[in-house]
Amino acid sequence: MGRISADAAFIQRPPTKDTPIPAPAGGYRHEKERPGTLGERTAGQLRRLAAVVGLDPDDADAYADALLTLLGPVAQRPLDLPPPSATFLSDDHTPVEFSLSFTPGAAPVLRVLLDPGCGAGSLARAGRVGLEAVRAMARRWNFGTDRLEELADLFLPSTVEGPLALWCALELRPGGTPQVKVYLNPAAGGPEAAAATVREALHRLGHGKAYDALPSADRPLFFALDLGDWAEPRVKVYLAHHGLTAAEAGGLSRMAPGPAPAEIEEFFTLAGGMDARLDRRPGQSCHAFTETATGLPSGFTLYVPVREHVAHDGEALERARTLLTRYGIDPAPLARSLSAVTTRRLTDGVGLVAYLALAHQHGRPPRVTVYVSSECYRIRPPAAVPVTETVG
């Protein structure tokens, strides 16, 4: 995470204070899924997911405590109330999303994406709350925030436009100390300034040639930073591609060397279906920069919004299984992970599996990532959409 997970209306028109927030709908199927608090539900999901990926129970408790701390007061908000804000981090405005990153021969890596400023009342206040949350994490886990502070005037102005202010993600490692990522909004100063904001941010961080290496896109979505203990901290630019096709996706990588277009096209087809065009929700690409000499990215990720191209989550799981198997990865932990998040039948809704992604990074094997919605407030009904056949 860090993908657009909003309703189409929120993608086209960012929420304001007057935007109605949907009340909980869809119902809960089992006693243990009935409303408690936002913190109870999401922390419980995190603990169960941690068990699936093999994290020590003490580490799981530490990470659950971190999640509750980052959510702040809204962690105590009862789930029979509407969401605390119209965050577009998820379709139902839950300010938490999980993801599992899979590589061959290794346990999945669990990550959690949060909107720490949700419920702050405005995007500007959300940005300030989010920045303080990152500073508190830095004190807790002893890492620096210099790179983020250097960009604060670009991404956290006194008046913030666009769909978000600041999100953060924790990659949950053994030992109780996560790797931290921060996601910022290029359109914070207005959509017309988004491209210039990205260019200036790259320049300030020493990546003066990087902007010119990016492929064409409809708009920049996120600007992201790795903070803390990373072997090669990345600066990442996320782009939106409306109406994306497999052939177009195959030409988006700017890595050298990088994945073959045929591999990217195959992934796109397996995730989105035969002859898919991502016109219901944009596809996304991410370009990660670690060195400054060439200006070329060292990483590329393609995100396919699978939930818009299946009738229900059972079909989304099957597509994910096909992809994992294609990359030599045991798909069994994925099914266990979905059961850790919800007890509803997969055929009863769509959107639990939100995105499928393929990541390439120099010096590492390809990664398949599955993005899993918390579904605290709403279960989206199964879709009556034509679903194209998947390549086996």
Side-chain angles (χ1 to χ4, degrees), residues 15 51 146 187 214 262 328 350 383:
D146 291 352
L214 295 171
V350 63

Side-chain angles (χ1 to χ4, degrees), residues 42-197:
T42 54
Q45 291 170 325
L46 186 151
R47 288 188 176 95
R48 293 190 295 273
L49 285 166
V52 172
V53 303
L55 286 173
D56 182 272
D58 289 340
D59 291 344
D61 286 341
Y63 288 136
D65 176 70
L67 180 150
L68 295 172
T69 300
L70 284 166
L71 286 177
V74 302
Q76 302 304 316
R77 185 180 178 88
L79 286 178
D80 54 3
L81 295 177
S85 66
T87 179
F88 89 129
L89 189 147
S90 65
D91 284 349
D92 71 337
H93 311 300
T94 301
V96 176
E97 179 192 63
F98 301 101
S99 63
L100 296 107
S101 182
F102 296 84
T103 53
V109 176
L110 174 62
R111 297 179 290 193
V112 57
L113 176 68
L114 303 105
D115 183 352
C118 70
S122 74
L123 284 175
R125 285 193 290 273
R128 293 193 290 271
V129 170
L131 182 58
E132 285 304 318
V134 174
R135 289 167 174 164
M137 284 192 291
R139 294 190 293 268
R140 176 175 182 171
W141 291 309
N142 192 30
F143 64 84
T145 62
D146 291 352
R147 295 200 303 168
L148 175 60
E149 306 285 353
E150 189 174 352
L151 305 178
D153 63 307
L154 291 176
F155 293 103
L156 300 172
S158 57
T159 300
V160 177
E161 296 187 40
L164 77 146
L166 182 153
W167 296 343
C168 59
L170 308 181
E171 190 164 295
L172 309 186
R173 303 183 299 176
T177 299
Q179 292 180 303
V180 179
K181 295 174 273 191
V182 174
Y183 296 83
L184 302 165
N185 171 22
E192 70 286 348
T197 296

Side-chain angles (χ1 to χ4, degrees), residues 307-366:
R307 66 194 183 285
E308 299 298 340
H309 300 275
V310 294
H312 53 72
D313 285 305
E315 291 183 2
L317 174 59
E318 287 308 308
R319 292 194 186 183
R321 280 173 167 158
T322 298
L323 284 165
L324 291 171
T325 302
R326 184 64 58 93
Y327 281 87
I329 300 166
D330 178 10
L334 176 57
R336 294 198 297 271
S337 296
L338 299 184
S339 296
V341 171
T342 185
T343 58
R344 72 164 173 85
R345 295 180 303 182
L346 296 183
T347 53
D348 285 350
V350 63
L352 179 66
V353 180
Y355 278 86
L356 300 175
L358 176 66
H360 280 264
Q361 186 77 28
H362 284 163
R364 300 180 186 178

